[in-house]
Amino acid sequence: MLYLDHAATSPVRTEVLSAMAPYLTGVFGNPSSHHTAGEAAANALEDARARVAGVLGMRTGDVVFTGGGTEANNLAVKGIVLAGLQAGRRHLVVSPIEHESILESASYLERFHGVIVTRLPVDETGRIAPTDLSAALRDDTALISIGHANNEIGTVQDAAALSAVAHAAGALLHLDAVQSAGWLPLRGLGADAVSLAGHKLGAPKGTGALVVRGRVPLEPLLHGGGQERGRRSGTENVAGAVALATALELAEADREAAAARIGAATTAFITRVLDRVEEAALTGHPVHRLPGTASFTFAGVSGESVLLELERRGVISSSGSACAAGRDEPSHVLLACAVAPEIAQTSVRFTFGREALPDDAPDRLAALVADAVRAARA
C-alpha cells in the first residue's frame, strides 16, 4: 500500500518511540509529586517544554501541553476570547475554511457568550486578503484565528502580513499550525498563539500543544489542580510531551530539505494528473501551498468512488478532512472557495509524508489516478 493521507495522520517515528519509552516505564512518576520519582518526570516535562519553545522561537513558559490539535485550537479560541470579554473585547474573526475545531469553538462563543463572529471571505484559492482582514477589525476585536495552512487544500496564508494587520489594530492572532509544522518555518510570523498536533509530525495521537505568549490572557477550559501554570489542569502526559518535542525537532532539522524534495515530487504529480485526467482540476493555491498536498476535483465522478478504485490499486488517500469523514455534505472549504456543491463532492486529496520517493513516483502515481478515475466513471 502507498499511504498518501499524511494530513490525516502519520506513523510514529522510531526515534520518537525510543525517546518516550523511558517515561512510560522507569520514569513514570507524576510530575506534580514532590519526591524523586516526581521530580524526574517534572524535569523531563520542562525539558520537552523548552525544546518545543525553541523550535518556535518563543519562551519555555509559553508552552501549554494539550491532548492534541483540537484541544489546542479550543483553548486558543475560547480561552483568549473568554479572557478578552473581561476587558470588553467581544469580537472574533475567523475564516470559513478553518478546521472544525476553530469553527465550532467560534459558534459556541457566539451562541452562549454573545461573542460577535466575523467570518472573512477567501478567494477561489483559499487565501485571505490582508485588506479584508483590516476592514473587518473593530475596536473590540479580541482575536483573529486562522489556519496557517489548510488541511484540505493545502493553501498557505501570508501569516506575517495578517499578523501585522492584527497588531496594528491592537488585536491578537492565533495560528493553527497543525498542518504547517515541520513543513514551513514557524519563527518570525508574529503569532500570539500557535497550535500543534503531534500525530502529524510522527508522535502518537493525543499529543499536542498551544504555544501562547505569556502576556496573552488565557481562560482555562479544564479546571482542577492548576497544572500547566494554571492554564490546563490535569496530570501531564510526560511521555507525550517528550514525544511531541522529539518529533518537532526531528521535523525541523530536515524541514527545508524535505520540503524541497517532496514539493518537487508533488508538483510533478499535479502536472501529470492535470495532463492525463479529463476534467481534473487542482483546488487550493497553485504556488502558496504545502509541499506535500495535492487536492483535485474530478467532475462527473464521485470522489468516494475514486477513493475505492485507488485503494484497489494500492493507494490510500482521502476526500478531505478526516474530522469530517462520513458526512454526505460537500466540503465547507471547497464551498467557501466558490466550488459548486456537485463538483466539491468529487474531491480527492493526496498528502505525502517525508519518506523518499522513487524518481518515477509522480508518473506512476498519476497513471494510477487516471486509471482509477476511468474505472469510477465506467
Side-chain angles (χ1 to χ4, degrees):
M1 285 288 180
L2 179 59
Y3 180 79
L4 296 178
D5 197 19
H6 285 269
T9 197
S10 288
V12 178
R13 297 180 65 154
T14 55
E15 306 98 318
V16 172
L17 282 174
S18 297
M20 67 184 294
Y23 305 99
L24 295 169
T25 52
V27 189
F28 59 84
N30 186 321
S32 296
S33 297
H34 297 293
H35 48 56
T36 304
E39 289 172 0
N43 289 339
L45 184 68
E46 293 312 302
D47 178 67
R49 199 184 308 279
R51 291 161 62 194
V52 171
V55 172
L56 273 68
M58 296 175 77
R59 298 185 305 174
T60 299
D62 294 342
V63 178
V64 183
F65 287 113
T66 68
T70 287
E71 185 191 340
N73 282 343
N74 271 260
L75 181 56
V77 175
K78 295 176 185 173
I80 294 174
V81 173
L82 288 174
L85 289 176
Q86 306 301 314
R89 291 182 173 268
R90 56 190 320 104
H91 181 227
L92 168 66
V93 179
V94 298
S95 89
I97 67 169
E98 300 308 321
H99 188 269
E100 288 85 349
S101 56
I102 290 177
L103 295 178
E104 290 300 318
S105 292
S107 294
Y108 162 81
L109 291 168
E110 200 172 35
R111 295 195 315 272
F112 293 103
H113 294 278
V115 171
I116 299 164
V117 179
T118 296
R119 294 166 178 86
L120 289 174
V122 296
D123 65 18
E124 67 277 5
T125 71
R127 291 265 278 184
I128 298 166
T131 51
D132 287 339
L133 175 59
S134 180
L137 297 182
R138 308 169 11 156
D139 291 340
D140 64 343
T141 301
L143 181 69
I144 300 103
S145 182
I146 298 295
H148 189 197
N150 185 263
N151 62 314
E152 291 191 30
I153 58 177
T155 294
V156 177
Q157 304 295 341
D158 187 346
L162 297 177
S163 173
V165 170
H167 293 159
L172 300 172
L173 176 70
H174 162 242
L175 279 184
D176 174 2
V178 165
Q179 294 294 337
S180 60
W183 290 111
L184 303 177
L186 298 180
R187 285 173 170 257
L189 299 179
D192 300 286
V194 178
S195 296
L196 303 170
H199 74 110
K200 314 292 187 178
L201 295 161
K205 301 169 188 67
T207 61
L210 177 67
V211 189
V212 55
R213 297 193 189 279
R215 63 178 174 80
V216 175
L218 187 70
E219 181 67 24
L221 305 185
L222 299 179
H223 300 90
Q227 290 88 346
E228 295 298 290
R229 294 168 172 80
R231 297 169 297 185
R232 198 267 193 184
S233 290
T235 301
E236 296 96 337
N237 177 2
V238 178
V242 171
L244 173 63
T246 303
L248 183 62
E249 285 184 332
L250 289 170
E252 181 65 16
D254 75 339
R255 174 177 53 77
E256 292 185 6
R261 183 180 71 252
I262 298 302
T266 304
T267 298
F269 168 61
I270 290 170
T271 300
R272 286 161 174 76
V273 169
L274 296 178
D275 286 344
R276 295 182 179 185
V277 183
E278 185 179 354
E279 294 191 79
L282 181 71
T283 60
H285 201 283
V287 176
H288 301 295
R289 62 188 306 113
L290 284 172
T293 297
S295 177
F296 304 94
T297 57
F298 301 106
V301 63
S302 162
E304 293 296 329
S305 297
V306 175
L307 291 178
L308 290 172
E309 293 295 339
L310 283 168
E311 191 161 356
R312 291 191 182 102
R313 290 157 178 79
V315 179
I316 301 293
S317 53
S318 70
S319 58
S321 171
C323 297
R327 300 178 188 174
D328 291 332
E329 63 265 24
S331 160
H332 70 281
V333 173
L334 295 180
L335 294 180
C337 294
V339 176
E342 64 274 15
I343 299 297
Q345 290 186 312
T346 74
S347 66
V348 177
R349 178 189 68 176
F350 303 88
T351 48
F352 294 79
R354 310 175 81 84
E355 64 271 13
L357 297 169
D359 290 342
D360 64 343
D363 193 64
R364 289 193 294 112
L365 180 58
L368 289 171
V369 172
D371 189 42
V373 173
R374 279 194 299 270
R377 283 179 173 154

